[in-house]
Amino acid sequence: MTLCRPFPRSLRSIDGLAAQFRRAYATQVSTASTRRLNVPIDFGATALLHHHRSSLATAPEIPSDGPSSRLNLCQSVNSALRTALSSSEKVLCFGEDVAFGGVFRCTLGLQEEFGKERVFNTPLTEQGIVGVAIGAAAEGMKPVVEIQFADYVFPAFDQIVNEACKFRYREGTSGGNAGGLVIRTPCGGVGHGALYHTQSPEALFCHVPGVRVVMPRSPSQAKGLLLSAIMDCQDPVIFMEPKILYRAAVEEVPDQAFTLPLGKAEIVKPGNDLTIVSYGRPLYTCLAAIEAAEKDLSGLRVELIDLRTIYPWDRQTILDSVKRTGRAIVVHESMVNFGVGAEIAATIQEHSFFSMKAPTKRIAGWTTHTGLAYEKYILPDVTRIYDGILKSMEY
Amino acid sequence: MEWEAPSNTTPMPTYSIMNANNMIEDPTQITSDIPVEDVLTWYKNMLTVNIMDGIMYDAQRHGRVSFYMVSAGEEAIMVGSAAALAKKDVITCQYREHGVFLQRGFELKDFMSQLAANCNDPGKGRNMPVHYTGREKVGVHAVASTLGTQIPHAVGAGYALKMEALDSTVEPGVAVAYFGEGAASEGDFHGALNMAAMIQSPVIFCCRNNGYAISTPASEQYRGDGIASRGAGYGIEALRVDGTDIFAVYEATKAARRKALEDGGRPILLEFMSYRISHHSTSDDSTAYRGHNEVSYWNSAQRNPISRLRQWLEAKNAWSEELDVQTRAQIRKDVIRELSLAEKEKKPALKEIFTDVYAELTEEVESQRQELREIMQKYPAEYDINQHKGGLGGL
């Protein structure tokens, strides 16, 4: 008979190494390290978020008259959905698990408030969800559907590319369109999503024109952009929500309804020496890299631009910027090959060739899949962006 | 264990009204007095589709149109089902439903404009022939070549109609999706039916089982009992109908519409059995995969839907050989006249290359339009600019 043995000595004696591996996926991580660059982003301090009401006044297009509340990204999405559902009977909200609040709680309380006819669960079928939504949009409804993870959008790819994108075009003079459609989907890496809870497929939806692809960087941006997508936009929208920001990004968000323009990039940090273009979660990584580089290279001023709408994109803002700076870097999570960065880089070299002092660098996911053990090496980190800034300035 | 073996269940019966001699033995099966004038209209519409199909098939062989799809054998399905629907009902279809368009009000000029891709085509010359845009005139979503994608659209459209009818002053409408037995193998069929049953959308799924998906006979398309038997799997009431018996088609569709509006709305499945007398399209030669005897069996006077109705009409003294000859000749003249007129019209303006992808032209596409204009101005001889309305000015 084997008795319970005490915890083996050998394991108990491994201290330093075990301490690193234990709780590697815990939310709270203590870093006793000599790292300067690849340290966790301090979302509580980043300049990209409005930590105080007063900073809302400096934000272009965001109302600062009136009360605001501290919301995280999923709360601000919830707020936008509530506003949209209140303002028009045509707004519907359906998808897998949305009734109880959704796996990320973005639809919390909506079914109770607006009823089962307008907010409801669907069977497990992305192609069914998007196909039904297109048909409803074609008859004047505003369906805001959720694809539970961007990794699972692919069964709906045919409906998006062959139907939603082409609907208005093939209807011609009849004016028929699926413009009322909004597809919301969590995207991006969280550190442990691995192959199928990490993807950011925005590039795939930018190639066949006909839908707008939007990615907010913060709770206040999400509210304004999502309301614009639902209430004003005449085109179908794919609204990609960086899931790591659902809880991490917390800021003051105006209580009132407001919209932010689609198709317009925003210069979140002005500068004259180098332009960095990005969107979504990597913006925070970029800002950390910029701060480190500006500390190390005195006088350096890097301009950081948030695309916000990835397609159709605000080419003018980016081209105006690189005309001034002469150097550009594009940063995105998904693979570098044939990604959004390729389009931006090609556009820059086509229109600003002689203004450029260095080649346009794309810092993005390596051309591989996001294996669990390797995520932090694959997705662009502060070190790579920092190094990219230095290389561009040294060119 | 009591296994449910498919061989234990008897195949679903096929509903018909006309007997083998094309008489209606049981007049109570006709639920309301259909005036003979209406039946005559049905007959003339069936003739019109059939004759138009024959002329357009030849026109393709002569190079006057790039492509065509004949719908011979399915005239009763198209005309009979459409006759039982209301004007406000919203229809999505596959591509072999010309008779639906005609019965609902399409005129020869409408067909020919699309077939010639001229400036009168509401689809602005964007779609292949027989992919009609009929939203404004006949309430049919523009036809797409993708198979099955239209099925969930009808589910969403039906749901929109249901929401609209909650405002009780509005007459309720139904949505209708037409598709072939081959398209019913696509995932969109499954997603659509399951969702329709769950969200209780007032939609009639009309399957045209014509025995072939290009060269694939139904025996290689499914092992189950056709398409109607699938309804049970989704909790949807279904009926199999003799698609060559126009009275059965009409009454079944009428009953389906009434049922679909019961209890606030629910989906209904109809499977119309018929035979695709024609080749799949002008790109197909069906002698490569089926025998002549099989085709002539289904094209015989006893089985062809047009001759079946003709026998009924002549037995009622509402029609004659002489009238038939006259009418066919007149239809032939009308079709050829409209085709010739349509061919003489200009193609749509060149700017329609770019419009309607988004509600508004994007800055990027504006610059592409300019680029194309410059090329055409520089090399005018290389382009047939003047075939298009407005010539270069129309770009």
Side-chain angles (χ1 to χ4, degrees):
Chain A
M1 184 172 96
T2 316
L3 296 168
C4 274
R5 286 196 297 255
F7 202 67
R9 260 188 81 76
S10 54
L11 280 178
R12 269 184 286 143
S13 69
I14 300 169
D15 280 334
L17 206 58
Q20 276 179 55
F21 287 129
R22 264 185 244 140
R23 307 187 73 243
Y25 299 106
T27 318
Q28 310 300 333
V29 181
S30 59
T31 38
S33 76
T34 53
R35 287 191 191 164
R36 203 171 62 89
L37 299 172
N38 281 354
V39 295
I41 302 293
D42 186 355
F43 286 97
T46 175
L48 283 173
L49 296 171
H50 298 291
H51 302 291
H52 306 285
R53 267 185 52 75
S54 51
S55 77
L56 285 175
T58 63
E61 300 152 331
I62 297 191
S64 50
D65 57 318
S68 62
S69 309
R70 255 179 97 68
L71 301 179
N72 63 25
L73 182 63
C74 63
Q75 288 166 332
S76 75
V77 166
N78 188 263
S79 165
L81 290 173
R82 183 168 278 104
T83 299
L85 285 157
S86 302
S87 70
S88 168
E89 288 285 307
K90 298 209 172 291
V91 178
L92 307 172
C93 177
F94 55 91
E96 295 156 23
D97 303 296
V98 302
F100 90 106
V103 293
F104 290 108
R105 325 297 269 138
C106 291
T107 52
L108 199 57
L110 298 180
Q111 186 177 72
E112 278 116 45
E113 190 170 340
F114 299 100
K116 287 186 167 156
E117 288 84 27
R118 296 179 63 203
V119 180
F120 51 89
N121 284 345
T122 62
L124 221 166
T125 166
E126 287 77 15
Q127 67 192 112
I129 290 167
V130 175
V132 169
I134 289 170
E139 297 309 314
M141 303 303 286
K142 287 178 176 290
V144 184
V145 301
E146 182 176 301
I147 296 295
Q148 200 158 81
F149 284 87
D151 314 60
Y152 309 140
V153 75
F154 301 105
F157 203 74
D158 186 29
Q159 284 288 344
I160 292 168
V161 162
N162 273 328
E163 306 299 314
C165 283
K166 295 176 172 69
F167 206 97
R168 183 188 287 278
Y169 194 73
R170 71 192 186 210
E171 283 286 344
T173 61
S174 85
N177 67 83
L181 170 68
V182 175
I183 298 172
R184 287 183 42 249
T185 186
C187 65
V190 291
H192 53 270
L195 306 175
Y196 300 107
H197 295 80
T198 301
Q199 290 176 72
S200 213
E202 65 276 1
L204 305 177
F205 299 116
C206 297
H207 185 57
V208 178
V211 296
R212 291 190 184 261
V213 185
V214 179
M215 191 182 298
R217 68 173 183 272
S218 71
S220 58
Q221 290 290 313
K223 179 167 175 171
L225 292 169
L226 184 54
L227 278 173
S228 187
I230 299 171
M231 306 312 302
D232 298 339
C233 189
Q234 304 290 307
D235 304 305
V237 177
I238 299 181
F239 193 81
M240 302 179 68
E241 298 163 3
K243 63 174 94 65
I244 196 175
L245 299 179
Y246 275 147
R247 271 166 243 301
V250 187
E251 63 171 355
E252 293 291 324
V253 180
D255 289 354
Q256 63 184 273
F258 65 96
T259 56
L260 292 170
L262 301 186
K264 289 233 41 91
E266 185 184 342
I267 300 175
V268 296
K269 178 190 173 300
N272 272 315
D273 301 312
L274 186 153
T275 304
I276 299 187
V277 184
S278 188
Y279 48 88
R281 189 258 190 271
L283 283 164
Y284 296 85
T285 321
C286 289
L287 189 60
I290 291 170
E291 282 163 358
E294 287 182 350
K295 218 168 23 184
D296 294 348
L297 298 180
S298 96
L300 173 69
R301 282 277 159 276
V302 178
E303 181 149 289
L304 181 60
I305 303 181
D306 177 8
L307 270 187
R308 302 200 294 183
T309 298
I310 301 166
Y311 196 78
W313 60 295
D314 183 357
R315 308 196 307 170
Q316 202 55 56
T317 296
I318 278 70
L319 290 174
D320 287 345
S321 176
V322 300
K323 208 166 177 179
R324 267 185 291 112
T325 63
R327 299 171 203 271
I329 296 176
V330 187
V331 183
H332 56 71
E333 271 190 26
S334 53
M335 311 74 162
V336 62
N337 50 295
F338 286 80
V340 171
E343 173 75 20
I344 296 176
T347 303
I348 289 172
Q349 68 87 30
E350 185 178 341
H351 294 277
S352 305
F353 190 72
F354 290 114
S355 307
M356 303 313 285
K357 301 173 201 154
T360 299
K361 175 73 181 162
R362 296 168 294 152
I363 298 174
W366 304 117
T367 301
T368 184
H369 306 293
T370 47
L372 180 69
Y374 316 112
E375 283 186 44
K376 58 182 187 285
Y377 307 111
I378 294 171
L379 304 180
D381 58 19
V382 178
T383 302
R384 279 170 60 197
I385 301 169
Y386 171 85
D387 191 61
I389 295 171
L390 261 48
K391 284 210 170 80
S392 185
M393 294 310 301
E394 286 163 11
Y395 192 81
Chain B
M1 292 179 209
E2 285 181 29
W3 291 86
E4 193 77 37
S7 51
N8 288 347
T9 53
T10 48
M12 285 174 70
T14 304
Y15 174 71
S16 61
I17 291 181
M18 286 198 280
N19 63 15
N21 295 321
N22 299 317
M23 304 304 297
I24 297 176
E25 286 168 24
D26 179 5
T28 64
Q29 296 220 55
I30 310 288
T31 58
S32 62
D33 289 324
I34 308 168
V36 173
E37 292 75 50
D38 284 6
V39 182
L40 276 169
T41 304
W42 297 355
Y43 181 70
K44 287 176 201 164
N45 282 343
M46 291 164 83
L47 277 185
T48 303
V49 174
N50 186 261
I51 291 166
M52 175 176 71
D53 280 356
I55 291 170
M56 291 316 300
Y57 183 90
D58 290 341
Q60 192 277 340
R61 288 293 185 253
H62 296 154
R64 289 170 77 173
V65 71
S66 61
F67 175 82
Y68 194 78
M69 300 180 95
V70 171
S71 59
E74 303 188 54
E75 294 87 351
I77 295 176
M78 299 183 286
V79 172
S81 62
L85 299 173
K87 187 167 166 61
K88 74 168 306 180
D89 294 339
V90 174
I91 296 176
T92 69
C93 64
Q94 190 157 304
Y95 48 56
R96 214 185 296 276
E97 289 88 7
H98 325 324
V100 172
F101 285 85
L102 185 67
Q103 178 66 28
R104 284 171 71 82
F106 239 42
E107 294 166 82
L108 288 175
K109 179 175 176 178
D110 299 310
F111 287 107
M112 295 302 150
S113 298
Q114 197 279 334
L115 292 168
N118 68 27
C119 57
N120 297 323
D121 170 25
K124 297 186 184 178
R126 290 161 175 165
N127 242 328
M128 276 171 79
V130 309
H131 293 60
Y132 302 109
T133 292
R135 186 191 177 81
E136 281 182 305
K137 197 152 184 180
V138 294
V140 184
H141 284 194
V143 177
S145 313
T146 41
L147 289 184
T149 50
Q150 75 276 17
I151 309 175
H153 295 180
V155 177
Y159 198 77
L161 291 171
K162 173 167 152 163
M163 296 300 286
E164 195 184 43
L166 290 180
D167 156 15
S168 60
T169 59
V170 177
E171 258 283 305
V174 299
V176 182
Y178 288 89
F179 52 93
E181 85 286 350
S185 293
E186 283 283 2
D188 277 348
F189 169 88
H190 167 69
L193 265 72
N194 199 26
M195 280 203 58
M198 289 316 303
I199 68 177
Q200 296 178 285
S201 172
V203 55
I204 308 173
F205 297 112
C206 289
C207 177
R208 297 180 290 95
N209 190 331
N210 63 13
Y212 280 93
I214 307 188
S215 72
T216 307
S219 58
E220 288 173 18
Q221 192 64 244
Y222 51 76
R223 221 175 260 286
D225 176 22
I227 311 308
S229 66
R230 297 180 190 173
Y234 299 108
I236 294 176
E237 213 175 321
L239 183 72
R240 174 170 289 149
V241 182
D242 179 353
T244 66
D245 173 349
I246 196 167
F247 292 104
V249 171
Y250 175 78
E251 290 298 331
T253 309
K254 235 176 107 199
R257 189 177 190 280
R258 193 190 66 243
K259 282 172 171 292
L261 289 171
E262 279 167 2
D263 306 324
R266 61 191 179 106
I268 301 291
L269 175 59
L270 290 172
E271 184 181 17
F272 297 113
M273 308 304 290
S274 68
Y275 185 82
R276 196 197 74 203
I277 290 171
S278 63
H279 306 301
H280 166 69
S281 72
T282 47
S283 306
D284 176 48
D285 174 9
S286 60
T287 63
Y289 51 82
R290 63 183 182 179
H292 176 72
N293 289 342
E294 183 184 306
V295 180
S296 39
Y297 176 86
W298 285 98
N299 204 11
S300 64
Q302 283 312 105
R303 283 175 199 88
N304 181 293
I306 295 175
S307 54
R308 290 194 75 187
L309 182 58
R310 179 180 166 177
Q311 284 180 41
W312 184 88
L313 283 167
E314 286 179 352
K316 286 252 181 277
N317 293 318
W319 200 246
S320 68
E321 167 72 20
E322 196 192 340
L323 274 172
D324 211 74
V325 168
Q326 267 173 25
T327 308
R328 284 173 186 267
Q330 184 59 48
I331 292 171
R332 232 194 118 69
K333 251 200 331 226
D334 292 340
V335 169
I336 290 170
R337 182 192 68 242
E338 289 302 329
L339 170 60
S340 306
L341 286 173
E343 286 170 327
K344 294 187 176 67
E345 295 275 10
K346 296 234 175 187
K347 299 252 173 289
L350 286 169
K351 74 171 162 61
E352 311 297 2
I353 294 171
F354 298 108
T355 55
D356 307 322
V357 176
Y358 294 94
E360 305 290 336
L361 286 181
T362 62
E363 169 274 320
E364 180 187 4
V365 153
E366 263 298 348
S367 75
Q368 291 179 359
R369 185 159 83 126
Q370 188 48 36
E371 195 180 333
L372 180 59
R373 192 184 281 130
E374 282 163 15
I375 291 275
M376 287 180 159
Q377 271 166 340
K378 196 169 168 187
Y379 303 95
E382 303 296 341
Y383 296 95
D384 300 320
I385 294 171
N386 290 312
Q387 280 183 9
H388 292 268
K389 193 167 176 197
L392 190 59
L395 174 55

